[in-house]
Each structure stands twice: as structure tokens, then as C-alpha cells.
């Protein structure tokens, strides 16, 4: 089974500063035939359902601010919030969709320092 | 616009069953399946399973095999998830989610508001 591991579990960043979240898979999420990484990122604010931020590891969902950037390939991925805003306080999850089982990382809590 | 509207809060006793509904609108119901996720209080997201909106084919997570049943009603564009033999560990918010793919694999673009299921004696 694919296992997704995020780091850190939580981080506190000053407003306007960069927040970086890592996601590691124990199997490649890069599909060789189309060269796409089957990874998505979500934001979950308190009391809300998750919100899709990125898919194909780096493609922003419509309406998502460009301060959210995804990178990485294969087994190692990164979500970067380039300039943290108050509304970015949330838990962030990565999810693999290489297989039909929706496996998420354990989540990373982002707070304001 | 795509909407998924779920049924309300349920309180059940251990050993009972619960059936949560998810009514879809704003798209061709037959084209996409629905995934069910759950989230225990303060915890992460756990995949429960998937059902096709086309023919009701299901794919359940191993952890729930034998205890979960998903069905569709194409006359009302609704999906149902029934979970049996409830224990306190099943206390969670249950979400229905529509992916952007016709298969079970995909990313969750549209989420229901969530249904809290509380299991307590």
C-alpha cells in the first residue's frame, strides 16, 4: 500500500513569510506514460471540508491564489506558501491518486507566529 | 454549479447501523462516481470507499470491507453510505466527494458539507 508522510506536523510562520510543507510517498507517483505526478494538495480550515489547492503536483485549482505553489516529482513533493496570509491558517494535506485508494498524508498544521 | 448536500447529524448506539445520504446536483450524475471519506475528531482523512454513478460499481477500503455498503439512486441523484456494527471508533465526520475523473482514482474537487456521526451508549 502507498503511504504518504508529511513533514513537519506543524509549523508557525510570520505573516508575509514563506511556509514550506513536505510530502513523501513510499512509492513513485510519477506515471511513466504521461510523465504526470498523481498528487494533490488540500487546505482544511477549522470546521470546513477540505478545499482542493493543487493537482498534478503543481497545477493550481481555479481561484487558488498564486502564493500557493507545488513542486516535486516521483516520491518527494513540496507545497510552498510564498507569503503567508491570515486566511492561510489551516491544516494542509497531500493525497495520492496513483491508485484508486485515496491515501492522504497525516496533515500539517500551519499557524501564525 | 456542482453541489453535494449531505444528511444531518446522526447519533447511534454501539452495534447499530447508520445510513448517510449525499444528494448531487449541477452535473451529469451518471458520469462521475462519489468517494466517501471520514475524519475522526482532531484526526486526518480516511478513505472509506467509492461508488460509480454510472452503474453502482463499488470499491471499498479494506478496513471497512463487510461493514460498509454504498448505493445510488439515479432517480434522485443521491448516493448512500451505510455503515454497520458501529463502535465508538466510528465517531467521525463523513464526507462525500466528487472527483474529476470517471474512475475511482482522482482528486477531490467537490466536497459535501460533512455529516457528523456520533456513536455513544
Amino acid at each position: 500500500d502507498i503511504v504518504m508522510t508529511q513533514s513537519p506536523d506543524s509549523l508557525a510562520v510570520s505573516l508575509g513569510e514563506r511556509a514550506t510543507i513536505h510530502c513523501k510517498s513510499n512509492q513513485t507517483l510519477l506515471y511513466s506514460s504521461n510523465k504526470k505526478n498523481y498528487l494533490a494538495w488540500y487546505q482544511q480550515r477549522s470546521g470546513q471540508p477540505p478545499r482542493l489547492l493543487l493537482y498534478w503536483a503543481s497545477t493550481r485549482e481555479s481561484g487558488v491564489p498564486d502564493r500557493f505553489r507545488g513542486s516535486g516529482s516521483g516520491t518527494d513533493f513540496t507545497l510552498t506558501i510564498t507569503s503567508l496570509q491570515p486566511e492561510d491558517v489551516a491544516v494542509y494535506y497531500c493525497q495520492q491518486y496513483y491508485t484508486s485508494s485515496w491515501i492522504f498524508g497525516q496533515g500539517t498544521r500551519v499557524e501564525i507566529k | 454549479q456542482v453541489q453535494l448536500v449531505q444528511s444531518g447529524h446522526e447519533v447511534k448506539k454501539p452495534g447499530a447501523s447508520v445510513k448517510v445520504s449525499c444528494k448531487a446536483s449541477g452535473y451529469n450524475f451518471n458520469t462521475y462516481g462519489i468517494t466517501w471519506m471520514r475524519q475522526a475528531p482532531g484526526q486526518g482523512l480516511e478513505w472509506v470507499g467509492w461508488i460509480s454513478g454510472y452503474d453502482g460499481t463499488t470499491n471499498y477500503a479494506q478496513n471497512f470491507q463487510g461493514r460498509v455498503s454504498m448505493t445510488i439512486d439515479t432517480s434522485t441523484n443521491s448516493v448512500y453510505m451505510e455503515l454497520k456494527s458501529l463502535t465508538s471508533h466510528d465517531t467521525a465526520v463523513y464526507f462525500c466527494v466528487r472527483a474529476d475523473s470517471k474512475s475511482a482514482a482522482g482528486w477531490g474537487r467537490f466536497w459535501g458539507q460533512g455529516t457528523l456521526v456520533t456513536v455513544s451508549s
Side-chain angles (χ1 to χ4, degrees), chain A residues 55-100:
Chain A
Y55 52 95
W56 299 132
S58 61
T59 301
R60 258 189 307 277
E61 169 71 335
S62 175
V64 172
D66 63 5
R67 64 179 179 274
F68 291 93
R69 297 182 184 175
S71 62
S73 185
T75 62
D76 291 277
F77 301 90
T78 301
L79 172 67
T80 302
I81 309 172
T82 56
S83 175
L84 194 74
Q85 302 301 303
E87 61 268 30
D88 300 336
V89 170
V91 179
Y92 292 83
Y93 295 93
C94 59
Q95 176 227 343
Q96 70 84 24
Y97 50 95
Y98 192 90
T99 70
S100 59

Side-chain angles (χ1 to χ4, degrees), chain A residues 4-9 21-24 41 91-95 104-109:
Chain A
M4 308 295 293
T5 304
Q6 292 181 226
S7 62
D9 289 334
I21 300 167
H22 301 281
C23 175
K24 189 175 181 65
W41 287 98
V91 179
Y92 292 83
Y93 295 93
C94 59
Q95 176 227 343
F104 286 71
Q106 81 276 18
T108 296
R109 184 175 301 276

Side-chain angles (χ1 to χ4, degrees), chain A residues 40 42 44 49-50 52 55-56 61 93 95 97 99-102 104, chain B residues 35 37 39 43 45 47 59 95 99 104-109 111-112:
Chain A
Y42 299 82
Q44 188 177 30
L52 177 68
Y55 52 95
W56 299 132
E61 169 71 335
Y93 295 93
Q95 176 227 343
Y97 50 95
T99 70
S100 59
S101 305
W102 288 33
F104 286 71
Chain B
T35 290
M37 303 291 302
Q39 188 170 37
Q43 302 300 307
L45 294 154
W47 180 65
N59 182 13
F95 295 104
W107 58 84
R109 172 164 279 158
W111 292 68

